[in-house]
Amino acid sequence: MFKINSEKQLMSLVNAAQVLTSTLDINQVLEKLMSEVLHVIEGADAGVLFMLNTETNRLVAKHAIGYDLAYLKKIHLASNEGMTGKVFSQKQAFRFHSSSDVTESMADLFPQYEENYTKAVGDFTYPKSAVCAPLLDKSNSCIGVLTIVNFSGDTQFENSDLTMLQAFANQSSIAIENAKLFTQNERSKRIYNALTQVSLTRGRLSDMIDTLASLLGQSVAIMTDFYDLLIASSPTAKFATDILKEQKSIHLDKVVQQCVRHQVYIPIKNETYVSYLFPIHTERGVIGVLLIVMNQHLQMDPLDLFAVEQASALFALQLAEEEKELENSFKYDGYLLQQLLSSNFNSFYKRQEAHQTSHYLCATLQLDGSTYHVAQTKKMQHQFSKLLYRLTRLFSLPVFISEHDLHYHFLFMNNLRVSVEQFKERIQDFFVLLEKDSTKYNSLSFIVGLGRHFDTIENIFSSYRDSTKCIDYLQTLEQAPFIISYDKLGPYTLFLNNDPQEMAEYVGLKLGPIIEYDNQHKTDLLYTLKLFFEHNQNRKKTAEACFVHLNTIKYRLQTIFSLIEIDEQNGKTMFELNLAIYMFSYLQNIKLAKTDKG
């Protein structure tokens, strides 16, 4: 406990306490603190208050008299650096008796900081003596350091001055904490109320961003949880989002995946800026990222951080509402698609797309939720739907999407009058991009079937049926491509709805002797016959495909036709034989797929 040595000092401290508690404005508290200290302690030529920035864990000058504060603010002291740092780390008041004491204690200053300190004192040199006292909060943590210096050397500070300064520091800690709480509440209310007013008057997201940017005096932007820019208050904010997305996405990942506030330094036009990233989230998870961008020398005040965190809840409401509107729009288009598949075309005829489309194509997508439990699958499907809606908004062609369980049905419409082939290529590209995004964001995997294109909407069901057959076929494959077109199925379309047992019996009837011969003699007659049909029954090309002599192929074919007792000149017989080979391949795929899933 410090002892006050005179009635004058006691009265000065009482007066100072009254001054410090006369206002709750943090800037006025700091200003009155420095003025009163310099008035009470004799020989004090200048003073500075360094406060801890909890974000950077550095000490930053907040108020000063007798210094150029602009230069002092460029000094961010580490713990134990300079006079201030030593007092901060040891949490004890110190008296530096002479200029040599001061010089020695400041010898470890970072060169740039030393240069800024020299500019801050102007015509003076280092102080001839100094007293420093720590500001301790209720938990005995140091929150800042108060320093008083003498430049002339005419006065030497005494222990009584050190005692008085520590008493001031103790009173100041309480006043600063109270002012912080008050300012925090007032600033939070002002920001929250201003944004709430914009929201209540049905203001757009851009209005809310402009309001926040004006209140903070900084650049502001909002990105989606897929890092697409929604709105930016300035070119600086837009540049920041571009750099974050292209070069520092790992920082955005941290915010979105962990739902935590984060900050990152980024270069913009030869200057360094700090970008504060806030998660915008609802009970369903993070739906966006709020960015506050400022010059690195204008570190964001903790009060601003708290206020913005409070305000981000309003952005969450606004984004969730816009997301819901988008979801409802897709659901309505999905409802129209279901009406079309039920041969109800009246509502569609009223749409603009009905009069601008030259041809159409249906697609079916099926998600794979087999590796996750129900709750996890549902959550991941919601994320997939958002990916799908995002890509659809960027797509050049109109599309209706109907969602049912793990299936999505699509109706693509060609309103650009591009050729059929270009139309199909764009649809293929759409699903390729979706597959890349799904992998990038660890969403569910899927398979896609594309139906045949059609010219009039009344033919929609055939294309829809084609797309579902493609899904059925892909499920029979052990290592299936993620997408296939009905045009590529060929004869396999004939087998999709048939009984596998009946097909196996047909294969046995047509190919049984060949299969049995291969098993007994370890030959490849069936494979040779397959290549023979694939090369239009050309023996020479078949020999090249098998990497054997032409006579070998002739011998194999002779053996084959002898085993099954058919005439290769009979077209009907050869057709049935080729069909049986396709059927055998199809059944093998089903068998392998079942084994793999088992």
Side-chain angles (χ1 to χ4, degrees):
M1 177 71 70
F2 287 96
K3 182 178 179 182
I4 306 302
N5 295 323
S6 70
E7 183 178 349
K8 177 183 177 183
Q9 287 180 324
L10 178 61
M11 290 304 299
S12 296
L13 187 60
V14 170
N15 290 336
Q18 291 176 344
V19 168
L20 290 175
T21 56
S22 65
T23 179
L24 287 174
D25 182 274
I26 186 69
N27 293 319
Q28 291 185 31
V29 167
L30 297 180
E31 182 180 351
K32 290 185 177 183
L33 165 63
M34 295 306 306
S35 298
E36 198 65 25
V37 169
L38 293 180
H39 173 73
V40 171
I41 297 181
E42 296 182 5
D45 293 325
V48 58
L49 174 65
F50 276 85
M51 297 294 294
L52 177 67
N53 183 325
T54 56
E55 290 292 316
T56 61
N57 204 31
R58 294 264 177 166
L59 292 160
V60 182
K62 288 297 182 181
H63 198 76
I65 294 179
Y67 292 97
D68 188 331
L69 187 59
Y71 288 108
L72 284 184
K73 282 191 172 183
K74 296 180 180 181
I75 301 173
H76 297 175
L77 295 174
S79 173
N80 210 35
E81 184 179 6
M83 289 189 302
T84 300
K86 292 177 176 62
V87 171
F88 176 84
S89 62
Q90 298 183 38
K91 295 193 285 192
Q92 289 184 344
F94 277 89
R95 180 163 64 98
F96 299 89
H97 301 270
S98 62
S99 57
S100 59
D101 277 354
V102 173
T103 302
E104 181 181 353
S105 67
M106 298 180 68
D108 60 350
L109 276 182
F110 182 65
Q112 185 64 47
Y113 292 168
E114 185 176 4
E115 180 182 336
N116 285 325
Y117 184 83
T118 301
K119 292 178 180 178
V121 299
D123 295 334
F124 297 106
T125 57
Y126 271 11
K128 298 297 188 294
S129 61
V131 284
C132 304
L135 276 67
L136 305 176
D137 63 13
K138 295 177 182 178
S139 62
N140 201 40
S141 296
C142 192
I143 61 173
V145 175
L146 180 58
T147 300
I148 300 299
V149 300
N150 174 269
F151 287 116
S152 66
D154 297 336
T155 302
Q156 286 289 329
F157 293 120
E158 304 294 337
N159 283 334
S160 59
D161 298 319
L162 190 63
T163 302
M164 176 61 73
L165 186 66
Q166 184 61 73
F168 259 100
N170 293 341
Q171 288 290 330
S172 301
S173 296
I174 298 172
I176 288 172
E177 286 298 304
N178 289 338
K180 274 185 177 181
L181 289 174
F182 175 79
T183 305
Q184 186 179 70
N185 290 333
E186 288 301 306
R187 190 180 187 87
S188 298
K189 287 179 182 177
R190 184 159 57 90
I191 292 177
Y192 190 83
N193 289 340
L195 293 175
T196 300
Q197 184 62 32
V198 175
S199 179
L200 290 176
T201 55
R202 307 302 296 172
R204 298 170 300 175
L205 192 62
S206 58
D207 297 326
M208 297 179 69
I209 283 293
D210 290 341
T211 300
L212 181 59
S214 176
L215 290 167
L216 295 177
Q218 305 297 339
S219 296
V220 181
I222 286 184
M223 303 175 76
T224 69
D225 49 335
F226 300 118
Y227 314 151
D228 298 324
L229 176 63
L230 286 177
I231 192 73
S233 68
S234 70
T236 298
K238 185 181 184 305
F239 284 135
T241 60
D242 291 339
I243 292 171
L244 285 168
K245 184 176 181 178
E246 296 169 6
Q247 303 175 22
K248 298 179 180 291
S249 62
I250 187 173
H251 298 284
L252 293 169
D253 293 341
K254 181 176 182 179
V255 175
V256 172
Q257 294 170 11
Q258 301 179 23
C259 193
V260 294
R261 188 182 77 209
H262 187 56
Q263 70 181 70
V264 55
Y265 290 90
I266 51 178
I268 302 177
K269 294 184 177 179
N270 299 322
E271 287 192 62
T272 300
Y273 288 77
V274 59
S275 183
Y276 291 88
L277 312 176
F278 299 85
I280 302 174
H281 60 93
T282 65
E283 70 282 356
R284 300 176 82 173
V286 176
I287 60 174
V289 180
L290 172 65
L291 285 74
I292 312 295
V293 186
M294 60 179 65
N295 190 284
Q296 63 173 338
H297 298 306
L298 301 174
Q299 297 285 334
M300 199 169 185
D301 191 279
L303 304 178
D304 290 333
L305 293 172
F306 178 80
V308 173
E309 283 185 336
Q310 294 294 104
S312 64
L314 290 173
F315 288 108
L317 291 175
Q318 188 75 10
L319 283 182
E321 183 177 338
E322 293 185 4
E323 187 177 283
K324 189 66 177 177
E325 289 177 358
L326 179 64
E327 187 176 329
N328 288 337
S329 175
F330 275 94
K331 284 184 177 179
Y332 178 70
D333 288 345
Y335 166 77
L336 282 182
L337 177 53
Q338 289 300 318
Q339 291 291 301
L340 290 173
L341 292 173
S342 300
S343 300
N344 185 348
F345 306 106
N346 293 331
S347 297
F348 179 73
Y349 287 142
K350 299 176 182 178
R351 293 284 293 250
Q352 188 177 13
E353 293 90 340
H355 309 287
Q356 295 181 338
T357 302
S358 58
H359 41 269
Y360 311 81
L361 187 144
C362 284
T364 297
L365 180 151
Q366 179 173 306
L367 293 175
D368 180 12
S370 60
T371 55
Y372 303 98
H373 56 75
V374 175
Q376 182 69 7
T377 299
K378 187 175 181 180
K379 181 178 180 181
M380 295 182 72
Q381 184 178 3
H382 175 71
Q383 178 79 347
F384 177 83
S385 294
K386 290 177 62 177
L387 275 173
L388 179 58
Y389 297 158
R390 167 180 177 259
L391 185 59
T392 303
R393 291 201 309 271
L394 302 174
F395 192 47
S396 58
L397 299 170
V399 54
F400 289 170
I401 305 173
S402 172
E403 179 182 341
H404 181 68
D405 293 333
L406 294 177
H407 291 81
Y408 295 78
H409 301 297
F410 299 77
L411 173 64
F412 291 94
M413 292 162 273
N414 182 10
N415 66 346
L416 300 179
R417 307 291 177 175
V418 297
S419 68
V420 172
E421 290 306 314
Q422 290 176 315
F423 179 50
K424 290 180 179 180
E425 285 176 6
R426 294 194 183 192
I427 295 171
Q428 286 269 0
D429 292 342
F430 174 88
F431 286 111
V432 169
L433 286 174
L434 182 61
E435 197 271 338
K436 287 182 179 179
D437 282 350
S438 182
T439 302
K440 177 180 178 181
Y441 295 105
N442 299 314
S443 188
L444 296 171
S445 60
F446 58 86
I447 54 177
V448 178
L450 302 180
R452 288 171 290 184
H453 75 278
F454 54 101
D455 298 330
T456 58
I457 195 62
E458 287 79 9
N459 294 325
I460 183 174
F461 193 79
S462 295
S463 183
Y464 163 75
R465 182 191 57 211
D466 294 345
S467 68
T468 59
K469 281 190 175 183
C470 289
I471 294 295
D472 292 339
Y473 175 70
L474 289 173
Q475 289 179 315
T476 69
L477 302 181
E478 180 187 14
Q479 293 182 332
F482 86 92
I483 184 171
I484 194 169
S485 173
Y486 185 84
D487 298 336
K488 305 298 183 182
L489 292 187
Y492 292 118
T493 60
L494 302 173
F495 313 143
L496 294 173
N497 296 322
N498 291 326
D499 182 5
Q501 181 60 37
E502 290 184 9
M503 287 190 286
E505 292 173 0
Y506 185 84
V507 168
L509 178 65
K510 298 296 181 180
L511 304 176
I514 302 174
I515 296 171
E516 184 178 350
Y517 187 91
D518 278 343
N519 291 336
Q520 289 179 356
H521 299 87
K522 308 300 180 184
T523 54
D524 292 317
L525 295 183
L526 186 61
Y527 180 67
T528 301
L529 182 60
K530 180 176 181 294
L531 290 180
F532 181 60
F533 281 117
E534 287 180 0
H535 290 85
N536 298 317
Q537 303 179 46
N538 184 301
R539 284 172 167 75
K540 182 179 179 181
K541 291 183 179 180
T542 305
E544 293 173 354
C546 291
F547 302 102
V548 296
H549 194 273
L550 177 59
N551 290 334
T552 302
I553 291 299
K554 290 179 179 179
Y555 174 75
R556 289 182 184 178
L557 291 173
Q558 183 179 354
T559 303
I560 290 170
F561 297 138
S562 174
L563 285 170
I564 56 180
E565 300 178 350
I566 67 168
D567 179 9
E568 65 174 301
Q569 301 302 319
N570 188 317
K572 177 177 179 295
T573 302
M574 295 298 284
F575 169 77
E576 292 174 350
L577 191 60
N578 195 13
L579 188 63
I581 291 175
Y582 275 108
M583 202 174 290
F584 177 77
S585 176
Y586 176 77
L587 292 172
Q588 288 295 103
N589 286 334
I590 292 179
K591 183 178 178 181
L592 290 172
K594 287 182 177 178
T595 302
D596 184 59
K597 292 177 181 177

Short mmCIF file of all heavy atoms in Angstrom, two decimals, residues 110-133:
data_model
loop_
_atom_site.label_atom_id
_atom_site.label_comp_id
_atom_site.label_asym_id
_atom_site.label_seq_id
_atom_site.Cartn_x
_atom_site.Cartn_y
_atom_site.Cartn_z
N PHE A 110 13.00 -1.10 -30.74
CA PHE A 110 13.11 -1.40 -32.16
C PHE A 110 13.54 -0.11 -32.87
O PHE A 110 13.02 0.97 -32.57
CB PHE A 110 11.75 -1.88 -32.67
CG PHE A 110 11.72 -2.27 -34.10
CD1 PHE A 110 12.45 -3.37 -34.56
CD2 PHE A 110 10.97 -1.55 -35.02
CE1 PHE A 110 12.42 -3.74 -35.89
CE2 PHE A 110 10.94 -1.92 -36.36
CZ PHE A 110 11.67 -3.02 -36.79
N PRO A 111 14.54 -0.17 -33.80
CA PRO A 111 15.07 1.05 -34.44
C PRO A 111 13.99 1.99 -34.99
O PRO A 111 14.09 3.20 -34.84
CB PRO A 111 15.96 0.49 -35.56
CG PRO A 111 16.40 -0.85 -35.05
CD PRO A 111 15.23 -1.38 -34.26
N GLN A 112 12.96 1.43 -35.63
CA GLN A 112 11.90 2.27 -36.18
C GLN A 112 11.15 2.98 -35.06
O GLN A 112 10.77 4.15 -35.19
CB GLN A 112 10.94 1.42 -37.01
CG GLN A 112 9.86 2.23 -37.73
CD GLN A 112 10.43 3.18 -38.77
OE1 GLN A 112 11.28 2.80 -39.57
NE2 GLN A 112 10.00 4.44 -38.75
N TYR A 113 10.96 2.28 -33.91
CA TYR A 113 10.28 2.88 -32.77
C TYR A 113 11.15 4.00 -32.17
O TYR A 113 10.63 5.05 -31.75
CB TYR A 113 9.99 1.83 -31.71
CG TYR A 113 8.97 0.79 -32.11
CD1 TYR A 113 8.78 -0.36 -31.35
CD2 TYR A 113 8.19 0.97 -33.25
CE1 TYR A 113 7.83 -1.32 -31.72
CE2 TYR A 113 7.25 0.03 -33.63
CZ TYR A 113 7.08 -1.12 -32.87
OH TYR A 113 6.15 -2.06 -33.23
N GLU A 114 12.46 3.77 -32.13
CA GLU A 114 13.37 4.79 -31.59
C GLU A 114 13.31 6.05 -32.44
O GLU A 114 13.31 7.18 -31.93
CB GLU A 114 14.79 4.23 -31.54
CG GLU A 114 15.79 5.18 -30.88
CD GLU A 114 17.17 4.57 -30.77
OE1 GLU A 114 17.37 3.45 -31.27
OE2 GLU A 114 18.04 5.24 -30.18
N GLU A 115 13.25 5.86 -33.76
CA GLU A 115 13.15 6.99 -34.67
C GLU A 115 11.84 7.75 -34.46
O GLU A 115 11.82 9.00 -34.42
CB GLU A 115 13.25 6.50 -36.11
CG GLU A 115 13.17 7.61 -37.16
CD GLU A 115 13.22 7.05 -38.58
OE1 GLU A 115 13.74 5.95 -38.77
OE2 GLU A 115 12.71 7.74 -39.50
N ASN A 116 10.74 7.02 -34.30
CA ASN A 116 9.45 7.67 -34.06
C ASN A 116 9.42 8.38 -32.71
O ASN A 116 8.80 9.44 -32.58
CB ASN A 116 8.33 6.63 -34.13
CG ASN A 116 8.03 6.20 -35.56
OD1 ASN A 116 8.11 6.99 -36.48
ND2 ASN A 116 7.70 4.92 -35.74
N TYR A 117 10.09 7.81 -31.70
CA TYR A 117 10.13 8.46 -30.38
C TYR A 117 10.90 9.78 -30.47
O TYR A 117 10.49 10.79 -29.90
CB TYR A 117 10.78 7.53 -29.36
CG TYR A 117 10.77 8.11 -27.96
CD1 TYR A 117 9.64 8.00 -27.15
CD2 TYR A 117 11.86 8.83 -27.48
CE1 TYR A 117 9.61 8.56 -25.88
CE2 TYR A 117 11.84 9.40 -26.20
CZ TYR A 117 10.71 9.26 -25.41
OH TYR A 117 10.68 9.83 -24.16
N THR A 118 12.02 9.76 -31.21
CA THR A 118 12.82 10.98 -31.38
C THR A 118 11.99 12.08 -32.04
O THR A 118 12.04 13.25 -31.66
CB THR A 118 14.07 10.68 -32.22
OG1 THR A 118 14.85 9.68 -31.57
CG2 THR A 118 14.93 11.93 -32.41
N LYS A 119 11.18 11.69 -33.05
CA LYS A 119 10.32 12.67 -33.72
C LYS A 119 9.21 13.15 -32.78
O LYS A 119 8.78 14.30 -32.85
CB LYS A 119 9.71 12.05 -34.97
CG LYS A 119 10.71 11.77 -36.06
CD LYS A 119 10.04 11.11 -37.27
CE LYS A 119 11.05 10.84 -38.38
NZ LYS A 119 10.43 10.16 -39.54
N ALA A 120 8.77 12.27 -31.89
CA ALA A 120 7.67 12.63 -30.98
C ALA A 120 8.11 13.66 -29.94
O ALA A 120 7.30 14.51 -29.53
CB ALA A 120 7.15 11.38 -30.28
N VAL A 121 9.39 13.62 -29.48
CA VAL A 121 9.85 14.58 -28.46
C VAL A 121 10.30 15.89 -29.09
O VAL A 121 10.54 16.87 -28.37
CB VAL A 121 10.97 13.97 -27.60
CG1 VAL A 121 10.47 12.74 -26.87
CG2 VAL A 121 12.19 13.62 -28.45
N GLY A 122 10.44 15.93 -30.42
CA GLY A 122 10.75 17.19 -31.10
C GLY A 122 12.13 17.70 -30.78
O GLY A 122 13.15 17.01 -30.99
N ASP A 123 12.21 18.90 -30.20
CA ASP A 123 13.49 19.56 -29.93
C ASP A 123 14.20 18.98 -28.72
O ASP A 123 15.37 19.25 -28.49
CB ASP A 123 13.27 21.07 -29.70
CG ASP A 123 12.75 21.76 -30.96
OD1 ASP A 123 13.03 21.24 -32.07
OD2 ASP A 123 12.05 22.77 -30.83
N PHE A 124 13.50 18.17 -27.91
CA PHE A 124 14.11 17.59 -26.72
C PHE A 124 14.92 16.35 -27.07
O PHE A 124 14.75 15.74 -28.12
CB PHE A 124 13.04 17.22 -25.69
CG PHE A 124 12.27 18.40 -25.17
CD1 PHE A 124 10.95 18.62 -25.57
CD2 PHE A 124 12.86 19.31 -24.29
CE1 PHE A 124 10.24 19.70 -25.10
CE2 PHE A 124 12.14 20.40 -23.82
CZ PHE A 124 10.83 20.60 -24.22
N THR A 125 15.80 15.98 -26.14
CA THR A 125 16.49 14.69 -26.25
C THR A 125 15.77 13.71 -25.33
O THR A 125 14.66 13.99 -24.88
CB THR A 125 17.96 14.83 -25.83
OG1 THR A 125 18.01 15.35 -24.48
CG2 THR A 125 18.70 15.77 -26.77
N TYR A 126 16.41 12.58 -25.02
CA TYR A 126 15.79 11.65 -24.08
C TYR A 126 15.58 12.35 -22.74
O TYR A 126 16.35 13.25 -22.36
CB TYR A 126 16.69 10.43 -23.87
CG TYR A 126 16.43 9.30 -24.85
CD1 TYR A 126 15.63 9.49 -25.96
CD2 TYR A 126 16.99 8.05 -24.66
CE1 TYR A 126 15.38 8.47 -26.86
CE2 TYR A 126 16.76 7.01 -25.55
CZ TYR A 126 15.95 7.23 -26.65
OH TYR A 126 15.71 6.22 -27.54
N PRO A 127 14.54 11.96 -21.97
CA PRO A 127 14.29 12.57 -20.66
C PRO A 127 15.49 12.43 -19.71
O PRO A 127 16.26 11.46 -19.78
CB PRO A 127 13.09 11.78 -20.14
CG PRO A 127 12.44 11.22 -21.36
CD PRO A 127 13.54 10.96 -22.31
N LYS A 128 15.63 13.42 -18.81
CA LYS A 128 16.68 13.38 -17.80
C LYS A 128 16.28 12.49 -16.63
O LYS A 128 17.14 11.95 -15.91
CB LYS A 128 16.98 14.80 -17.30
CG LYS A 128 17.49 15.74 -18.39
CD LYS A 128 18.83 15.27 -18.95
CE LYS A 128 19.45 16.29 -19.88
NZ LYS A 128 18.68 16.49 -21.12
N SER A 129 14.98 12.35 -16.41
CA SER A 129 14.48 11.43 -15.38
C SER A 129 13.02 11.11 -15.71
O SER A 129 12.38 11.82 -16.48
CB SER A 129 14.59 12.04 -13.98
OG SER A 129 13.81 13.22 -13.89
N ALA A 130 12.51 10.03 -15.11
CA ALA A 130 11.15 9.60 -15.41
C ALA A 130 10.60 8.75 -14.28
O ALA A 130 11.37 8.12 -13.52
CB ALA A 130 11.12 8.82 -16.71
N VAL A 131 9.29 8.74 -14.15
CA VAL A 131 8.60 7.83 -13.24
C VAL A 131 7.49 7.14 -14.03
O VAL A 131 6.80 7.77 -14.83
CB VAL A 131 8.01 8.54 -12.00
CG1 VAL A 131 9.10 8.90 -11.01
CG2 VAL A 131 7.24 9.79 -12.41
N CYS A 132 7.36 5.83 -13.82
CA CYS A 132 6.35 5.03 -14.55
C CYS A 132 5.56 4.20 -13.54
O CYS A 132 6.15 3.65 -12.58
CB CYS A 132 7.01 4.08 -15.55
SG CYS A 132 8.08 4.88 -16.75
N ALA A 133 4.25 4.09 -13.78
CA ALA A 133 3.40 3.29 -12.89
C ALA A 133 2.44 2.44 -13.72
O ALA A 133 1.90 2.92 -14.72
CB ALA A 133 2.62 4.19 -11.95
#
